[in-house]
């Protein structure tokens, strides 16, 4: 089993979106039995809560069901449980780098490193400078941008994982 953990700040907007999108892509690719997905937050404010209703609604419009997800805080032991840990922004990444145990072999990266257009960014990707922007205090458009970025990046991540682990459907 290959294991993937998405991490943002609150675990109620960006990382649950990535969790739901990758699960959906795995189902379509027939790889759900081979790749396990989870998400967590660096902060502790929303532990036990469902994702933000705006995130759930925007995701549902595109066919992703986030309703069963519940927020949790990332733990040091996650670095032993998960093969791939994907941070949504550089602040998350720095937090995770500081807590990664020395003997952990987890691959820790920014999710947008796997965006297929990272070498030739479109306007949205240029504006984001490698980070999935936090939509929490913004407008509805921010939630759509998260979906746009994360759909693409998860497809790129899945390709990376398939190559790395020799997974064919
Ligand atoms: P997320 O968004 O990190 O994408 O889940 C946020 C959610 C809540 C807060 C910040 C960011 N907050 O400050 O409560």
């Amino acid at each position: 089993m290959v294991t993937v953990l998405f991490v943002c700040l609150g675990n109620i907007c960006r990382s649950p979106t990535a969790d739901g999108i990758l699960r959906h892509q795995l189902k379509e690719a027939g790889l759900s039995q081979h790749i396990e997905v989870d998400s967590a937050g660096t902060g502790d404010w929303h532990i036990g809560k469902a994702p933000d209703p705006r995130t759930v609604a925007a995701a549902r419009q595109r066919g992703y069901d986030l309703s069963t997800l519940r927020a949790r805080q990332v733990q040091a032991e996650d670095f032993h449980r998960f093969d791939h840990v994907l941070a949504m922004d550089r602040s998350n990444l720095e937090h995770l780098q500081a807590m990664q145990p020395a003997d952990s072999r987890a691959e820790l990266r920014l999710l947008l490193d796997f965006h297929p257009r990272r070498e030739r960014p479109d306007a949205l990707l240029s504006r984001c400078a490698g980070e999935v922007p936090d939509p929490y205090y913004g407008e509805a458009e921010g939630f759509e941008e998260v979906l746009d970025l994360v759909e693409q990046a998860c497809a790129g991540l899945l390709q990376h994982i398939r190559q790395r682990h020799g997974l064919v459907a």
Side-chain angles (χ1 to χ4, degrees):
M1 196 77 162
V2 179
T3 48
V4 179
L5 180 68
F6 296 107
V7 179
C8 61
L9 179 59
N11 192 209
I12 56 169
C13 296
R14 293 166 294 173
S15 61
T17 299
D19 189 328
I21 287 174
L22 186 61
R23 278 175 205 271
H24 183 94
Q25 291 178 352
L26 291 173
K27 210 177 217 177
E28 292 206 322
L31 288 169
S32 302
Q33 305 305 313
H34 301 282
I35 304 177
E36 185 184 316
V37 186
D38 195 9
S39 65
T42 59
D44 63 1
W45 312 285
H46 303 286
I47 291 172
K49 290 193 196 150
D52 186 298
R54 298 166 296 174
T55 291
V56 174
R60 183 175 293 135
Q61 287 281 327
R62 297 198 194 189
Y64 307 114
D65 178 18
L66 311 186
S67 64
T68 60
L69 301 178
R70 294 296 176 268
R72 72 174 182 87
Q73 189 173 28
V74 67
Q75 309 289 327
E77 69 203 46
D78 285 322
F79 285 97
H80 298 298
R81 271 184 63 200
F82 292 91
D83 303 309
H84 300 271
V85 179
L86 289 312
M88 296 296 141
D89 63 34
R90 290 190 182 83
S91 165
N92 309 146
L93 183 67
E94 284 166 15
H95 186 115
L96 292 165
Q97 282 166 339
M99 70 186 286
Q100 182 165 17
D103 61 344
S104 148
R105 292 172 55 201
E107 181 186 67
L108 173 57
R109 302 276 295 272
L110 282 171
L111 176 60
L112 291 192
D113 286 353
F114 296 98
H115 195 295
R117 296 205 54 153
R118 69 193 178 286
E119 306 299 337
R120 290 179 300 106
D122 56 16
L124 172 60
L125 198 53
S126 297
R127 181 150 43 81
C128 295
E131 306 181 294
V132 181
D134 184 349
Y136 189 66
Y137 293 107
E139 307 296 323
E141 191 181 299
F143 293 85
E144 297 303 323
E145 289 182 354
V146 170
L147 283 161
D148 290 341
L149 290 164
V150 173
E151 279 177 336
Q152 295 290 310
C154 279
L157 173 66
L158 180 52
Q159 204 171 358
H160 168 77
I161 289 172
R162 290 175 86 137
Q163 283 167 358
R164 169 69 63 88
H165 300 276
L167 286 173
V168 283

